[in-house]
Amino acid sequence: MASKCNLSALFPIQSQLDDALDNATNQQEKENLVYQYLKKLDDKDDLRIPDFDEGLEWLNTEGPLSFTRELAGKVVVLDFFTYCCINCIHILPDLHQLEKKHSVKDGLVIVGVHSAKFPNEKVLQNVQSAVLRYNITHPVVNDGDARLWHELEVACWPTLVLIGPRGNLLFSLVGEGHRERLALFTNTSLRHYRDQVLLSDHLVGTKLYRDSLPPSLLSFPGKVAVDSSRKRLAIADTGHHRVLVVSSIGLVLYSIGGPESGRKDGNLDEATFCSPQGIVIKGDTVFVADTENHLIRKIDLLEGQVSTLAGVGFQGTDMEGGAMGPQQPISSPWDLALGTAGGEEDNMLWVAMAGTHQIWALFLENGKLPKRSEFKAGTCVRFAGSGNEENRNNAYPQKAGFAQPSGLAPAPEEPWGCLYVADSESSTVRSLALKDGAVKLLVGGERDPLQRVGSLFNKSKNLFAFGDVDGKGVDAKLQHPLGVAWAPDQGLLYVADSYNHKIKVVDPKTRQCLVVAGTGEAGDVLGPGLTESSFNEPGGLCVGEGGRVLYVADTNNHHLKVLDLDTKTVSLFPISLEDAVDSAPTKSSGPCKVPKLPKSASRVKMPPLAVSPGQTVNLELVLSLPEGTKLTEDAPSFWTLSAEGNEWLVGNQVVTGDIQNLSQPLSIPAILPTVLKATESSPSLTLSVWVYCCLAGGGACMMKAASFTQPLQIGSTPRNGSVTVTLAHAF
């Protein structure tokens, strides 16, 4: 058997082809060059690659794949990726395009080889979440120890390796931006091996991971923003490709976009987004980083319109900018923040441009950047970052280097006067001075970020100084932080330390970084305290209630969580599914149909009650709120009465009413019909309650729910009068 080889054996051969292709003048010449190259490779028997290790975890397949079995007779594209990497995300559309053009039956199979950078990325559940989040439908193997990466001597993410039907190396493409050459290599290889009758049309068993999961109200929420003056939140419901605007008690006021991705401006009920992330809300305006559309959008709630402020709808490579927004290509904007630069207050948006590793400015009104000329309203331009992916601090903003900046938090007040940046791939939080653009380290990283660390993954810069350590400045360690939020009243910066599954706080005066909440393990546990609660890759957060409350987008748990910093508790932020179905404003007068109870709701089944036709069943509802809480003023607390399967008991309509006072029992009458209907099931009444309450001293609000099922033993003889039953529950 021929010995297994690696990419170093292929490079001398392919480099000649690459040079020839660069000088080719037309498509036919390029195809001929690739044909001749493939014929040369066919004469070699020393380009077989090693197979996947046994025992690896596979996704989207019915079982493990092998080059000697399922992948034999196929042209295989191996995508070596790690899910944190923005460059890896950028090539997914190229792979999707290939999958649409060539099926498995045609002879093409794409396999994602997940080779983790961070320890958190080795965990199967986290890879599963990434596969869902990025809508990956081809097979993915979790090669947590990067065995195949090392055996092939892959050098960086992303790397595409094309394999022939005999398990032989064909091509390698390093980095992003190779869509045309990838298509050329793939198309030509399929034709070449089809002509040689070496392709097989057998199917590869697939089992999509997404098909095994139940639906959820939120799907991978990326960011959250608060408008304290209006008591409203804006949520980037990233996985559902939509934006939600909700009241402070969870009432959905607007739902724009979704459930499918798209790129359309217009009325709120027709506009679409693609994996929105960063979000800002001020008054009746919402600004959105429409990440995978490579756009910055504006939602005007008053006018009911969505428009595009910047971007052209596809990934840009420009690292300077300066054009008017709708003519300026941009790349994967990940977060936004309002700022002021040489003009009126909030005259511009700061943009974390993750795709080019820079910080940009989008001027909403005329303004001026430090040491720069004035810019007209609508201009979109680079402010800081060379465009090289690196951890480089510098007094000159355009010489500094970022590595996938993903979170922004302005602190314009003196003595801070800066924009804080969650620089995810360097696992640092940096400060960007608003007066001169100087970039400095706040916490994380290491003292000499450009020092070589002797890693195969890293030749010229250290983006591997990560960990989970409380400490001061460089002694503190983070792991891929995605969000930051500034609390001006306290002068504190909160950090979503995403891959450590924690929320941390930094005092910029002392540069001390400490954990606030989270156990350090991925989970979805509430309390009893902050550090006993768990999160799963929280992606964003914002400060509310004057710094007393944090709203956290708990991304992989598909929740929005509330951290009350006074009571040291964590709770779920309540959002009703039924309120989220329309793009028009919803009314707060109560539901028009029975909403679904949350999983956390208490369910009480009462003993059977003997009644007669025509009688009134008085349901006496007695509820007790948690100690120290009260009903939220003007909140839509309510009850509903139903009889599932026997709707004739309540006149075929849902009975509903408000809950405004719990100091005395609430009497709810249900008049039974005098004529009974035949039924196969035992009739029962169900009373469900949704109660919104807040801490009596202010702060966090929460939703509590419960249901009571009252079975009925209905006699045959009609009678007058009433029967009373007490339904009591303490939340």
Side-chain angles (χ1 to χ4, degrees):
M1 181 177 178
S3 61
K4 307 302 181 184
C5 74
N6 54 45
L7 294 180
S8 61
L10 183 68
F11 287 152
I13 311 171
Q14 187 180 333
S15 62
Q16 298 176 30
L17 171 65
D18 291 333
D19 291 341
L21 289 173
D22 290 339
N23 295 319
T25 57
N26 57 65
Q27 186 66 18
Q28 186 61 54
E29 183 181 356
K30 293 179 181 178
E31 292 179 3
N32 289 337
L33 287 169
V34 177
Y35 271 123
Q36 296 302 317
Y37 170 85
L38 289 172
K39 290 179 180 179
K40 182 188 300 185
L41 291 188
D42 289 342
D43 295 332
K44 292 181 173 291
D45 194 35
D46 58 353
L47 292 178
R48 301 282 183 91
I49 72 165
D51 211 338
F52 298 104
D53 280 359
E54 293 184 2
L56 294 179
E57 300 158 323
W58 286 82
L59 297 172
N60 292 340
T61 69
E62 294 177 348
L65 303 183
S66 167
F67 290 112
T68 60
R69 299 189 307 272
E70 296 82 3
L71 301 178
K74 301 291 187 183
V75 171
V76 180
V77 177
L78 298 179
D79 173 24
F80 287 89
F81 77 109
T82 185
Y83 71 77
C84 69
C85 167
I86 191 66
N87 312 92
C88 300
I89 297 171
H90 285 164
I91 70 168
L92 288 176
D94 301 348
L95 300 179
H96 291 327
Q97 188 178 71
L98 271 187
E99 290 174 302
K100 287 182 179 179
K101 184 174 182 180
H102 304 292
S103 67
V104 174
K105 194 174 180 65
D106 295 333
L108 176 68
V109 178
I110 297 174
V111 178
V113 185
H114 190 266
S115 310
K117 169 185 174 179
F118 293 100
N120 181 69
E121 294 178 312
K122 297 182 180 183
V123 180
L124 177 63
Q125 289 77 9
N126 298 335
V127 180
Q128 288 173 331
S129 294
V131 166
L132 291 173
R133 191 160 63 242
Y134 300 129
N135 194 30
I136 298 173
T137 57
H138 53 253
V140 172
V141 60
N142 182 24
D143 190 8
D145 293 327
R147 291 288 298 276
L148 190 57
W149 169 295
H150 287 292
E151 289 194 55
L152 290 182
E153 295 187 4
V154 176
C156 69
W157 301 280
T159 293
L160 298 176
V161 179
L162 275 72
I163 308 297
R166 296 179 292 116
N168 52 309
L169 279 174
L170 299 181
F171 308 97
S172 173
L173 294 167
V174 178
E176 59 175 295
H178 302 296
R179 174 177 291 192
E180 291 185 3
R181 193 152 293 187
L182 174 62
L184 171 66
F185 288 167
T186 305
N187 297 342
T188 309
S189 298
L190 288 171
R191 286 197 299 269
H192 174 71
Y193 290 113
R194 190 177 298 116
D195 291 343
Q196 294 191 17
V197 198
L198 290 177
L199 291 185
S200 171
D201 64 357
H202 70 270
L203 297 178
V204 175
T206 59
K207 184 179 180 182
L208 296 185
Y209 176 64
R210 68 184 184 190
D211 293 341
S212 65
L213 299 177
S216 58
L217 173 58
L218 297 177
S219 177
F220 300 105
K223 302 289 184 183
V224 59
V226 64
D227 181 359
S228 298
S229 64
R230 299 285 189 93
K231 295 184 177 181
R232 297 193 295 191
L233 294 171
I235 304 167
D237 190 8
T238 308
H240 285 144
H241 310 288
R242 68 178 176 178
V243 172
L244 298 180
V245 179
V246 303
S247 71
S248 60
I249 56 172
L251 180 66
V252 176
L253 307 174
Y254 298 89
S255 174
I256 309 105
E260 302 300 324
S261 63
R263 178 169 63 90
K264 186 176 182 180
D265 287 339
N267 296 329
L268 299 188
D269 59 355
E270 64 182 11
T272 53
F273 303 88
C274 187
S275 299
Q277 285 283 347
I279 198 161
V280 171
I281 181 170
K282 183 180 181 182
D284 291 311
T285 302
V286 182
F287 299 103
V288 182
D290 193 6
T291 304
E292 293 193 17
N293 275 329
H294 309 285
L295 299 174
I296 298 171
R297 315 283 289 282
K298 175 185 176 182
I299 303 174
D300 189 323
L301 300 176
L302 199 60
E303 298 293 332
Q305 292 288 313
V306 176
S307 58
T308 295
L309 297 182
V312 295
F314 56 82
Q315 182 190 349
T317 57
D318 183 3
M319 296 185 182
E320 294 293 337
M324 288 293 105
Q327 287 79 49
Q328 177 61 57
I330 60 177
S331 180
S332 297
W334 208 273
D335 201 11
L336 302 174
L338 277 170
T340 303
E344 298 178 4
E345 183 180 0
D346 293 341
N347 67 332
M348 47 86 70
L349 282 171
W350 297 115
V351 184
M353 205 70 76
T356 55
H357 314 290
Q358 296 172 313
I359 307 300
W360 283 47
L362 172 60
F363 284 89
L364 305 174
E365 303 292 342
N366 293 344
K368 183 180 180 180
L369 292 174
K371 301 180 180 179
R372 303 282 293 275
S373 58
E374 292 191 1
F375 293 97
K376 293 183 178 180
T379 305
C380 190
V381 64
R382 182 264 301 254
F383 175 43
S386 65
N388 296 322
E389 184 180 10
E390 58 186 4
N391 180 6
R392 182 188 293 272
N393 301 307
N394 201 287
Y396 298 94
Q398 295 178 1
K399 291 184 178 180
F402 295 93
Q404 206 169 308
S406 302
L408 300 175
E413 311 88 355
E414 293 298 336
W416 322 115
C418 70
L419 179 69
Y420 290 113
V421 181
D423 198 37
S424 62
E425 281 291 273
S426 68
S427 295
T428 63
V429 175
R430 324 270 285 281
S431 66
L432 176 57
L434 298 178
K435 64 178 181 180
D436 58 13
V439 177
K440 298 179 181 179
L441 173 72
L442 183 63
V443 293
E446 68 174 18
R447 298 187 190 282
D448 184 4
L450 291 179
Q451 180 180 4
R452 179 171 176 166
V453 296
S455 166
L456 174 65
F457 300 115
N458 178 40
K459 301 293 187 182
S460 61
K461 61 207 172 201
N462 188 5
L463 301 182
F464 288 76
F466 54 79
D468 183 11
V469 181
D470 288 352
K472 179 180 179 180
V474 74
D475 294 327
K477 291 293 179 281
L478 309 171
Q479 187 181 178
H480 200 76
L482 289 173
V484 281
W486 176 244
D489 293 343
Q490 293 77 20
L492 297 174
L493 182 73
Y494 291 94
V495 182
D497 192 5
S498 305
Y499 282 9
N500 284 324
H501 315 290
K502 289 181 176 181
I503 306 301
K504 296 182 177 180
V505 63
V506 179
D507 183 344
K509 287 184 179 179
T510 63
R511 299 175 66 206
Q512 191 74 30
C513 178
L514 301 171
V515 64
V516 173
T519 63
E521 299 291 334
D524 194 15
V525 176
L526 299 177
L530 293 176
T531 54
E532 291 80 33
S533 299
S534 56
F535 306 86
N536 194 338
E537 293 190 12
L541 73 172
C542 64
V543 175
E545 302 289 339
R548 298 190 303 273
V549 168
L550 297 179
Y551 298 99
V552 177
D554 194 5
T555 304
N556 284 0
N557 281 327
H558 315 291
H559 290 316
L560 188 65
K561 290 181 177 176
V562 183
L563 277 65
D564 190 304
L565 301 176
D566 288 340
T567 62
K568 312 296 183 186
T569 57
V570 180
S571 61
L572 292 181
F573 184 80
I575 304 174
S576 171
L577 178 63
E578 310 307 335
D579 290 330
V581 298
D582 297 322
S583 57
T586 58
K587 297 180 179 179
S588 59
S589 57
C592 60
K593 56 181 177 178
V594 178
K596 293 180 181 178
L597 284 168
K599 292 181 180 179
S600 60
S602 300
R603 290 167 170 81
V604 181
K605 187 170 184 179
M606 304 294 293
L609 180 67
V611 293
S612 300
Q615 281 189 319
T616 297
V617 179
N618 285 320
L619 303 173
E620 294 284 337
L621 182 63
V622 179
L623 300 175
S624 300
L625 295 178
E627 184 177 354
T629 66
K630 63 178 181 178
L631 282 177
T632 306
E633 295 180 6
D634 301 321
S637 297
F638 60 92
W639 56 265
T640 64
L641 181 64
S642 60
E644 186 175 355
N646 294 283
E647 285 77 9
W648 54 272
L649 281 173
V650 290
N652 294 316
Q653 294 185 17
V654 174
V655 179
T656 184
D658 294 333
I659 299 176
Q660 299 178 344
N661 184 6
L662 295 181
S663 62
Q664 54 188 5
L666 180 63
S667 181
I668 301 168
I671 303 174
L672 301 180
T674 56
V675 179
L676 301 182
K677 290 187 178 182
T679 177
E680 296 181 358
S681 61
S682 300
S684 62
L685 296 173
T686 298
L687 182 69
S688 301
V689 296
W690 285 259
V691 175
Y692 293 86
C693 56
C694 287
L695 295 172
C701 295
M702 62 199 83
M703 186 271 286
K704 301 290 185 180
S707 72
F708 304 86
T709 300
Q710 178 60 70
L712 301 177
Q713 295 177 343
I714 306 178
S716 58
T717 304
R719 293 182 181 177
N720 295 325
S722 63
V723 178
T724 299
V725 61
T726 299
L727 308 177
H729 180 70
F731 290 111

